[in-house]
Amino acid sequence: MRPSRIFRWIVRIFLLVFTLSLSGVSLLGGFSAVTILDPDSYNVNIPDGTIIVNFDINNKPANSISVPFNITNVGVYDLDEITLSFQIGVIFGNASTPTNETTNIRIFDKTVNYGTVPHGQVLKDTFSGLGSDGFIFLNIPDPAEVDYTRTPYALEFHANFTFSAMYSLQLYKFTVNLLNYSLGHYP
């Protein structure tokens, strides 16, 4: 056999082994990511306890929220670039409009990057916002704008949570959303 033919066979075998190893890593990484996101395992708990909320439209700087969460990495690889995003909206009857239109506005928006959770480890923390740290004061309605005769409640608060992370040597990026989670109402 000629040397060029032997060289081509060596390159082909190398590429075959390299391709099979990458396929194996991606398949095992995908299966491992599915075990983390299994809804029956409670590996991603947002919220992981009672949400403590203080909404006061009369005293905007005193507004605060505290959301405990728990992320358990039961996978084979590290969870990288863990990001938690949190928005709060309020629905109210807008008394400053001619027909008291129902208005839905975002009053809180904050994103925090928590870094990396190695495999087998747990990230247990509290996502919090106080005053201007996340709250959008310009969007919080003035008490004169609220139609207090609106049914069922004058003010209804809801939240959106977004959890995202990179996994399996950063081959996979996944996002978990919890939308329109009720935070309460006034009165």
Side-chain angles (χ1 to χ4, degrees):
M1 284 198 345
R2 293 181 296 196
S4 63
R5 185 173 239 183
I6 292 171
F7 179 73
R8 282 187 295 205
W9 275 103
I10 291 172
V11 169
R12 288 178 184 162
I13 290 171
F14 172 76
L15 289 175
L16 177 66
V17 170
F18 184 70
T19 304
L20 289 175
S21 66
L22 284 179
S23 298
V25 166
S26 64
L27 286 173
L28 292 174
F31 178 72
S32 183
V34 168
T35 61
I36 292 173
L37 297 175
D38 180 17
D40 295 329
S41 65
Y42 299 104
N43 292 323
V44 177
N45 292 316
I46 304 171
D48 185 33
T50 305
I51 298 175
I52 301 170
V53 180
N54 178 28
F55 293 133
D56 186 358
I57 62 174
N58 294 314
N59 186 7
K60 296 175 184 178
N63 288 337
S64 66
I65 187 158
S66 178
V67 181
F69 67 92
N70 177 8
I71 299 168
T72 305
N73 185 358
V74 295
V76 178
Y77 301 102
D78 294 347
L79 276 171
D80 295 321
E81 299 179 27
I82 294 174
T83 304
L84 188 61
S85 178
F86 187 59
Q87 297 90 29
I88 299 174
V90 61
I91 299 173
F92 66 100
N94 194 342
S96 64
T97 61
T99 59
N100 290 348
E101 295 173 2
T102 299
T103 305
N104 185 1
I105 56 174
R106 183 179 296 170
I107 62 170
F108 181 86
D109 194 350
K110 184 177 177 182
T111 301
V112 177
N113 188 334
Y114 288 96
T116 300
V117 175
H119 72 281
Q121 299 295 315
V122 176
L123 171 63
K124 190 170 182 73
D125 205 344
T126 301
F127 186 93
S128 61
L130 174 65
S132 63
D133 181 29
F135 283 94
I136 306 167
F137 291 149
L138 294 175
N139 289 355
I140 298 174
D142 290 324
E145 292 178 331
V146 177
D147 177 15
Y148 290 98
T149 62
R150 179 179 177 268
T151 58
Y153 304 106
L155 296 165
E156 297 176 50
F157 298 96
H158 61 278
N160 296 329
F161 303 95
T162 302
F163 162 72
S164 65
M166 301 288 285
Y167 190 70
S168 183
L169 306 174
Q170 297 188 353
L171 292 173
Y172 297 104
K173 178 174 183 171
F174 53 85
T175 303
V176 178
N177 291 314
L178 178 62
L179 302 175
N180 292 327
Y181 185 84
S182 177
L183 293 177
H185 52 83
Y186 176 80

